[in-house]
Amino acid sequence: MTTVTLNDIRAARERIAGKIERTPTGLSHSLSERLGIPVHLKLEHRQTTGSFKLRGASNAIASLSAEEKARGVVAASTGNHGRALAHAAKLEGMRAVICMSRLVPGNKLDEIRRLGADVRIIGNSQDEAQQEVERLVAQEGLVMLPPFDHPAIIAGQGTLGLKMIEQVPDAALVLVQLSGGGLASGIAAAVKGVSPGTKIIGVSMARGAAMKASLDAGRPVEVEELPTLADSLGGGIGLDNRLTFAMCRDLLDDVILLSEDEIAAGIRHAYEQEREIVEGAGAVGIAALLAGKVKATGPVVVLLSGRNIDMNTHRKIVCGDAIAERAA
């Protein structure tokens, strides 16, 4: 089975050194007191493009040949991968085309355009956007760099796992966002490669969690893509998934799903107690702890994965009136 190894992740760390921010990990006093164990927050939402995605995008572009860089890159995205890829491509003077569905929030579209990428809005799901990606690869020769099911993307995201276990070497549990699985599988490969006894739990939303449905079915399956506060976790995993399904199946210890109310509570806690602004996907680890869906007896590391939330939506969530509106 093709997979991404600890050595691949260590090589990615060397490759992207100087291209990303070194984000801190800090103890959450409010969550530690609530659970009675140390809870550490990995503040990756402070990354340059506002999410962890810059790690994978930077590693993937750095891995391309000169001929591939000259052709340009294309990807489907729910927003954060597109922004990261646009940023990394701009630094190399490359063309980037980002294909997205109509469900992607406007603030994320605006940032990708600001970085100079060509934005294509296609259909109502990431699967439909992917069809445009494949057309551009076939007709214009662009290089496809998908948001998760790619070895260089997974290895780049896995560098987060190396940093987590270095910063909290006695971590008993890591909570990580689960969507297409690039982040979760990369972090799991890194953490378990260094600390095999550390548990890794994937966290997603109940509305359209494609990886959870696929793991339950024992094979990649399609799910309906629905509006959710955790919009970055939307989209399928691909029926021809090559890497992340098997890695998540083999490396994750559990998967937790959250309601829209629970995700909103995580966003509010991050703002009111931690003084951090995070998007819905970025808050799911906190939300899982607040909802009592995680049982841990030792130090926990919670990833805050992104901050790219529309601020009008954020204000409404903090005031408690955006849940039904966003998830309708």
Side-chain angles (χ1 to χ4, degrees):
M1 181 186 75
T2 302
T3 190
V4 174
T5 68
L6 181 60
N7 285 338
D8 294 328
I9 296 167
R10 285 173 169 158
R13 178 166 61 178
E14 296 301 315
R15 200 175 290 119
I16 66 176
K19 300 178 185 294
I20 62 169
E21 294 290 330
R22 296 182 178 182
T23 57
T25 296
L27 184 71
S28 167
H29 296 288
S30 62
L31 291 172
S32 298
E33 290 174 6
R34 187 184 185 104
L35 271 69
I37 55 176
V39 177
H40 303 268
L41 302 179
K42 176 59 175 171
L43 307 180
E44 185 66 11
H45 65 300
R46 298 184 186 178
Q47 191 53 254
T48 303
T49 57
S51 86
F52 71 92
K53 290 285 192 177
L54 187 59
R55 294 173 181 266
S58 296
N59 187 49
I61 283 184
S63 301
L64 296 177
S65 67
E67 183 272 334
E68 288 171 322
K69 289 180 179 180
R71 287 157 54 191
V73 294
V74 62
S77 174
T78 54
N80 286 336
H81 175 64
R83 183 172 177 177
L85 197 61
H87 176 88
K90 184 177 182 179
L91 291 181
E92 295 286 336
M94 295 169 52
R95 181 188 181 197
V97 181
I98 310 301
C99 303
M100 294 175 285
S101 82
R102 295 184 183 91
L103 295 180
V104 177
N107 67 299
K108 294 185 177 182
L109 301 179
D110 292 343
E111 280 300 312
I112 294 170
R113 291 190 177 104
R114 184 184 64 79
L115 288 166
D118 178 4
V119 173
R120 309 282 177 92
I121 307 300
I122 308 293
N124 295 309
S125 72
Q126 194 169 9
D127 289 338
E128 291 181 82
Q130 180 62 29
Q131 294 174 12
E132 176 68 4
V133 170
E134 292 166 4
R135 186 190 70 80
L136 289 167
V137 170
Q139 296 184 8
E140 299 188 23
L142 294 171
V143 177
M144 180 173 63
L145 291 180
F148 53 88
D149 197 33
H150 186 286
I153 297 290
I154 297 169
Q157 319 305 25
T159 62
L160 252 177
L162 290 180
K163 184 55 65 176
M164 285 176 170
I165 208 66
E166 289 171 1
Q167 293 173 325
V168 189
D170 60 343
L173 171 66
V174 173
L175 296 179
V176 60
Q177 286 72 8
L178 180 62
S179 179
L183 174 67
S185 59
I187 285 179
V191 171
K192 288 186 177 290
V194 175
S195 177
T198 301
K199 291 186 176 181
I200 312 290
I201 294 180
V203 189
S204 195
M205 70 289 177
R207 294 173 62 85
M211 183 61 80
K212 178 64 164 65
S214 298
L215 292 172
D216 289 346
R219 58 182 174 81
V221 297
E222 292 181 344
V223 299
E224 183 181 2
E225 193 168 340
L226 299 168
T228 170
L229 291 174
D231 55 86
S232 294
L233 302 184
I237 71 166
L239 296 181
D240 58 349
N241 187 285
R242 300 178 302 122
L243 292 165
T244 61
F245 171 76
M247 291 182 70
C248 286
R249 179 195 63 203
D250 295 344
L251 295 173
L252 295 183
D253 294 284
D254 198 4
V255 175
I256 292 169
L257 299 183
L258 299 170
S259 71
E260 296 299 298
D261 285 327
E262 290 166 340
I263 296 168
I267 295 172
R268 282 195 295 272
H269 177 94
Y271 180 70
E272 295 171 352
Q273 300 296 324
E274 313 297 342
R275 301 295 190 263
E276 302 289 346
I277 294 175
V278 295
E279 60 188 279
V284 295
I286 290 176
L289 295 179
L290 295 176
K293 293 187 173 181
V294 175
K295 306 299 181 186
T297 57
V300 179
V301 181
V302 180
L303 175 61
L304 275 57
S305 59
R307 67 169 184 246
N308 297 323
I309 188 170
D310 176 80
M311 290 310 297
N312 287 326
T313 299
H314 187 272
R315 282 190 288 271
K316 291 176 181 178
I317 292 170
V318 170
C319 294
D321 62 355
I323 301 171
E325 172 184 314
R326 182 71 181 94

